[in-house]
């Protein structure tokens, strides 16, 4: 079996290392940085370079680039992708990518599936990629049609070397709505929160709650700005909702209304139990 991996950043590099650990797979990769590609070859994380000669022989093609670069890569390479290849992108948004991906796949005869591995670190790049990054984590899949169980089992088999703990199948629309809340909003809040002037004086006063809230403030601004703009409609909805909720807490404090403040805190605690069981 042969996997082709496009992009050797944190996501693509981790896929390369995971698949290379599986002796049943040959790993071929491409990265725009020759230095990174040479490093992966030297470390023996990949078996060769993914190019026009090796792309046609891939059973699985994983594209781990920024959203617009994924679309551009598909347009440029579609004519040499085998009809037997399953192509899965790893972008953080799905609507635009899947719209183009499904159209191109239909035109050239291969199978395209939107994908989003729900794992990451606040460090970016191949240097920080890990063979076990996806162990037990979720992989979101967005197929053109969601009614083929045999197809799903085949995809699961192809993704087995990454050792995902869960496969979630959904639509592009639902993916982008959910990701605005579970991922993008968390990065916005963390990034905005750390800008408080008080943050410069936190040493000696902070513990777990500070670390939990600010972990993802350390982000790749090029990648996240692109993802935010791709999904701006759903992200704006979440930002407006949070702004309105914070205003309630502000009002309770300004009015010195302890009963209202207790009710707000109790509501949040109960919602946490409701959605997460703890």
């Amino acid at each position: 079996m042969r996997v082709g991996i496009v992009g050797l950043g944190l996501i693509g590099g981790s896929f390369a290392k995971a698949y290379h650990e599986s002796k049943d797979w040959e790993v071929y990769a491409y990265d725009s940085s020759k230095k990174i590609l040479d490093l992966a070859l030297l470390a023996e994380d990949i078996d060769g370079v993914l190019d026009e000669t090796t792309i046609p022989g891939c059973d699985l093609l994983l594209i781990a680039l920024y959203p617009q670069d994924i679309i551009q890569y598909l347009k440029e390479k579609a004519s040499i992708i085998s009809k037997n290849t399953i192509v899965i992108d790893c972008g953080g948004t799905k609507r635009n990518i899947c719209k183009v991906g499904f159209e191109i796949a239909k035109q050239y005869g291969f199978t395209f599936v939107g994908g989003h591995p729900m794992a990451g670190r606040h460090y970016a790049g191949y240097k920080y990629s890990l063979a076990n990054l996806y162990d037990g984590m979720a992989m979101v899949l967005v197929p053109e049609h969601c009614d083929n169980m045999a197809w799903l089992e085949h995809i699961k088999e192809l993704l087995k070397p990454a050792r995902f703990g869960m496969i979630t199948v959904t639509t592009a629309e639902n993916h982008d709505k959910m990701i605005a809340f579970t991922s993008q909003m968390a990065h916005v809040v963390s990034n905005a929160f750390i800008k408080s002037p008080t943050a410069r004086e936190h040493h000696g006063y902070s513990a777990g709650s500070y670390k939990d809230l600010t972990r993802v403030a350390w982000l790749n601004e090029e990648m996240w700005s692109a993802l935010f703009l791709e999904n701006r409609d759903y992200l704006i909805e979440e930002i407006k909702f949070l702004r309105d909720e914070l205003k309630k807490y502000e009002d309770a404090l300004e009015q010195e209304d302890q009963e209202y403040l207790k009710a707000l805190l109790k509501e949040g605690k109960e919602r946490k139990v409701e959605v997460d069981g703890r």
Side-chain angles (χ1 to χ4, degrees):
M1 301 285 281
R2 176 186 294 179
V3 61
I5 298 172
V6 186
L8 286 174
L10 174 66
I11 298 301
S14 295
F15 271 121
K17 292 176 180 179
Y19 275 83
H20 194 265
E21 285 189 351
S22 175
K23 304 306 179 184
D24 296 329
W25 287 82
E26 292 181 345
V27 182
Y28 288 81
Y30 166 80
D31 193 89
S32 59
S33 168
K34 187 177 185 301
K35 180 180 178 180
I36 294 298
L37 195 57
D38 288 344
L39 180 60
L41 286 165
L42 184 63
E44 298 185 343
D45 290 330
I46 63 176
D47 298 298
V49 176
L50 185 69
D51 56 22
E52 282 71 14
T53 66
T54 52
I55 289 173
C58 290
D59 299 281
L60 175 64
L61 189 62
L62 297 168
I63 310 177
L65 302 172
Y66 294 169
Q68 290 304 315
D69 293 331
I70 290 170
I71 291 172
Q72 188 60 37
Y73 185 87
L74 282 171
K75 289 179 177 179
E76 291 177 358
K77 305 300 183 184
S79 62
I80 60 172
I81 297 174
S82 168
K83 293 181 179 180
N84 298 318
T85 302
I86 301 293
V87 180
I88 302 178
D89 87 275
C90 303
T93 56
K94 294 274 76 81
R95 283 175 290 175
N96 291 340
I97 294 171
C98 286
K99 181 177 184 295
V100 176
F102 294 148
E103 291 174 354
I104 292 176
K106 193 173 295 183
Q107 180 180 353
Y108 289 93
F110 59 85
T111 300
F112 175 82
V113 183
H116 188 181
M118 301 307 300
R121 306 177 71 188
H122 54 280
Y123 300 106
Y126 177 76
K127 176 182 178 181
Y128 298 103
S129 60
L130 301 167
N132 65 353
L133 183 67
Y134 306 117
D135 285 14
M137 307 305 287
M139 176 64 166
V140 180
L141 296 178
V142 179
E144 187 171 15
H145 305 290
C146 302
D147 55 357
N148 190 331
M149 291 305 296
W151 168 88
L152 180 58
E153 291 304 314
H154 178 55
I155 298 295
K156 286 182 178 180
E157 193 65 29
L158 290 175
L159 292 172
K160 189 174 288 186
R163 301 184 294 273
F164 288 107
M166 176 187 297
I167 301 293
T168 302
V169 180
T170 188
T171 63
E173 192 81 24
N174 189 61
H175 168 277
D176 287 0
K177 178 181 179 180
M178 295 303 299
I179 222 67
F181 170 72
T182 62
S183 177
Q184 295 180 345
M185 190 61 182
H187 284 77
V188 168
V189 171
S190 181
N191 197 264
F193 175 81
I194 197 63
K195 294 175 186 176
S196 167
T198 315
R200 298 182 183 279
E201 305 167 17
H202 83 84
H203 296 289
Y205 298 89
S206 55
S209 55
Y210 168 83
K211 292 178 181 178
D212 289 344
L213 184 56
T214 60
R215 180 181 66 84
V216 294
W218 193 345
L219 45 67
N220 178 339
E221 64 274 13
E222 183 176 351
M223 179 185 78
W224 283 102
S225 61
L227 293 174
F228 290 168
L229 288 171
E230 282 271 329
N231 207 33
R232 59 189 178 277
D233 51 349
Y234 284 129
L235 184 54
I236 287 170
E237 284 183 15
E238 292 295 340
I239 290 172
K240 287 181 176 178
F241 178 84
L242 181 61
R243 181 191 64 198
D244 292 344
E245 284 297 305
L246 288 174
K247 185 65 170 61
K248 295 177 185 177
Y249 291 81
E250 181 184 5
D251 290 346
L253 290 167
E254 287 183 342
Q255 296 162 17
E256 298 183 32
D257 189 337
Q258 186 173 8
E259 291 305 312
Y260 184 31
L261 186 57
K262 283 166 58 178
L264 290 171
L265 295 171
K266 185 172 185 289
E267 181 184 24
K269 180 180 68 174
E270 291 175 346
R271 181 61 58 87
K272 173 64 175 173
V273 173
E274 176 188 342
V275 301
D276 290 330
R278 62 184 185 280

